[in-house]
Amino acid sequence: MTDAAETGTVGAVESWSLVGDAVAVSVGSVTEVLRARIADGKLESLLESSSGRTLFVVSNSERATVMLLDHPGDPGEHATDPGAKDWSDGFVLSNGQADEYPDADTVPLAEAFRIVRHILATGRPPADAAWAVDR
């Protein structure tokens, strides 16, 4: 069963745009926007909401780290993959820095897209997503 956040039928709590490109993104378009950026080698994406929150997504084309920050300087919160034991590399930031993360602090790309769509639709991660608060 697909919930309303997956279909984009829930009204957005806040509006979101892609920082640097000033491209507005919606629940229905965000997966396509992120996939296109990844295909173009832009593995880091920063979305900013109308309320000043930021959603950081960085991928290595297979996994992604998804972080939600309430304000500048906020340690935020992030998606997790409990039980994952390995590390993955290839997370290239816009400044050229290439990072490696424990898989426990990243999620498969499809899960990252699901989480991002839900945050855009409801303002919070899905209740069934593993999530760590870093504050």
Side-chain angles (χ1 to χ4, degrees):
M1 175 186 243
T2 302
D3 66 18
E6 294 291 323
T7 63
T9 58
V10 173
V13 175
E14 51 203 326
S15 60
W16 293 84
S17 62
L18 190 60
V19 173
D21 291 340
V23 172
V25 292
S26 66
V27 174
S29 70
V30 71
T31 298
E32 180 180 323
V33 168
L34 294 175
R35 280 191 194 281
R37 289 180 57 80
I38 291 167
D40 286 345
K42 297 175 184 172
L43 302 179
E44 178 187 66
S45 296
L46 182 62
L47 302 169
E48 186 172 66
S49 80
S50 56
S51 67
R53 297 192 311 156
T54 54
L55 183 58
F56 177 79
V57 180
V58 64
S59 172
N60 68 355
S61 299
E62 294 176 11
R63 298 184 69 84
T65 183
V66 179
M67 296 184 293
L68 181 61
L69 310 173
D70 284 343
H71 54 79
D74 177 25
E77 47 196 82
H78 70 279
T80 64
D81 189 356
K85 304 285 185 220
D86 292 329
W87 284 69
S88 294
D89 60 6
F91 296 90
V92 180
L93 304 180
S94 59
N95 66 3
Q97 177 179 320
D99 286 341
E100 180 178 348
Y101 297 116
D103 286 350
D105 286 328
T106 66
V107 293
L109 201 52
E111 175 67 354
F113 293 153
R114 182 181 80 90
I115 291 169
V116 169
R117 285 192 309 269
H118 197 278
I119 291 171
L120 267 60
T122 68
R124 61 188 180 281
D128 64 346
W131 199 254
V133 177
D134 302 316
R135 295 181 185 90

